[in-house]
Amino acid sequence: MTRRGRFITLEGGEGVGKTTNLALVVDHLEAHGIEVVRTREPGGTPRAEAIRGLLLDPAGNEPLDDDAELLLVFAARAQHLARVVRPALERGAWVVCDRFTDATFAYQGGGRGIDASRIAELEAFVQRGLTPDLTLLLDMPMAAAQRRLEGRLDHDGGERDRFERERAEFFEAVRRAYLARAKAAPDRVCVVNADQPLDAVQDELRTLLDDRLEAWS
Ligand code: Z5A
């Protein structure tokens, strides 16, 4: 019988380096001969990516209700789990995902103030017990992460999405909620100091991955 694959998520606030380091995680696992499916949330399938568009669209003429935002996040997740994550894990591939439900507890819970018990109800309904095996939480002060993001926005000439337009207090609340999640699940969530040169962040990530690979072998 094929052994179920492992499910690894990367988390953290804006600009902490999730996307940059996702590539390192995927490369490191593939170098160990592991089949890896790289994906992201919200998104990961065409319909879930369409929901992502709704969530990030800053169009100001109709504000998005907080409950509607929460339900859209979980609608995208249900589609992504059914079409991508569960099938990959069942055939033995590993899934590396840029953000997952910890982001919901951080953004919709910490940031928007939705009660964690309501998020947990949706988590149970949509995920039916499926949770990540390992979560790498990239953590750094939000002001420093914002400076990175500003550098990138200037470089790309990009527009800020609906979340990137939030105020500093929102991002501080998101960070606190992430750190509380890590404290509550220390075996699953590893906090990585993202406020250091990329080489140092990546050395830490490789060490963490090697420890898990050994523990899981
Ligand atoms: N969201 C939600 O509300 N609820 C949910 O349940 C989920 C998501 C799943 C989209 O996510 C939004 O969805 C998100 C929360 C919400 N909010 N926002 N905004 P996203 O993951 O696409 O958005 P993001 O966090 O804004 O991603 P990002 O801006 O691409 O950031 P990142 O991936 O963490 O960073 P990066 O692109 O890898 O790096 C940023 C820059 O820093 C870049 O120029 C790098 O070259 C540079 N960098 C990276 N590492 C370093 C180091 N160590 N030193 C110096 N410079 C570095």
Side-chain angles (χ1 to χ4, degrees):
M1 203 175 96
T2 312
R3 193 163 77 175
R4 173 194 175 278
R6 298 283 177 181
F7 186 21
I8 299 176
T9 56
L10 268 88
E11 295 281 3
E14 284 68 19
V16 296
K18 293 176 303 300
T19 309
T20 307
N21 289 300
L22 196 84
L24 176 275
V25 171
V26 171
D27 288 351
H28 196 71
L29 296 174
E30 285 179 346
H32 283 77
I34 295 166
E35 183 198 347
V36 181
V37 172
R38 175 191 170 141
T39 187
R40 70 172 180 180
E41 287 213 350
T45 83
R47 286 190 194 279
E49 289 289 330
I51 297 173
R52 179 189 177 91
L54 288 175
L55 283 161
L56 299 193
D57 184 355
N61 51 357
E62 186 191 351
L64 186 58
D65 179 76
D66 290 351
D67 284 351
E69 179 181 284
L70 176 66
L71 291 168
L72 284 171
V73 163
F74 272 106
R77 183 160 300 139
Q79 185 70 7
H80 184 220
L81 286 171
R83 305 291 302 177
V84 174
V85 178
R86 287 188 201 278
L89 294 175
E90 276 159 22
R91 70 164 195 272
W94 290 30
V95 174
V96 178
C97 189
D98 192 338
R99 293 191 186 280
F100 193 60
T101 308
D102 290 303
T104 317
F105 282 96
Y107 282 80
Q108 282 65 50
R112 304 282 186 229
I114 296 177
D115 200 274
S117 63
R118 291 178 62 208
I119 300 174
E121 279 174 30
L122 289 169
E123 178 186 35
F125 173 63
V126 168
Q127 294 170 218
R128 303 192 305 274
L130 178 64
T131 52
D133 297 294
L134 171 67
T135 296
L136 302 164
L137 172 58
L138 298 171
D139 177 64
M140 65 189 286
M142 282 301 115
Q146 287 290 313
R147 281 195 292 279
R148 282 186 191 168
L149 197 60
E150 271 154 28
R152 195 184 60 184
L153 285 166
D154 290 348
H155 181 263
D156 298 348
E159 211 192 330
R160 286 174 190 278
D161 69 36
R162 211 170 53 79
F163 290 97
E164 289 166 350
R165 293 171 184 219
E166 290 294 340
R167 297 155 63 88
E169 303 84 76
F170 177 88
F171 295 112
E172 290 302 339
V174 167
R175 185 183 184 206
R176 281 197 301 277
Y178 266 133
L179 290 172
R181 298 278 297 164
K183 204 169 167 195
D187 292 341
R188 173 178 67 85
V189 184
C190 297
V191 183
V192 175
N193 173 16
D195 194 13
Q196 49 180 342
L198 189 57
D199 282 356
V201 175
Q202 299 204 326
D203 281 348
E204 245 183 89
L205 287 170
R206 277 189 210 93
T207 303
L208 282 168
L209 287 172
D210 287 341
D211 287 350
R212 285 301 164 130
L213 284 166
E214 201 183 323
W216 288 337
S217 64

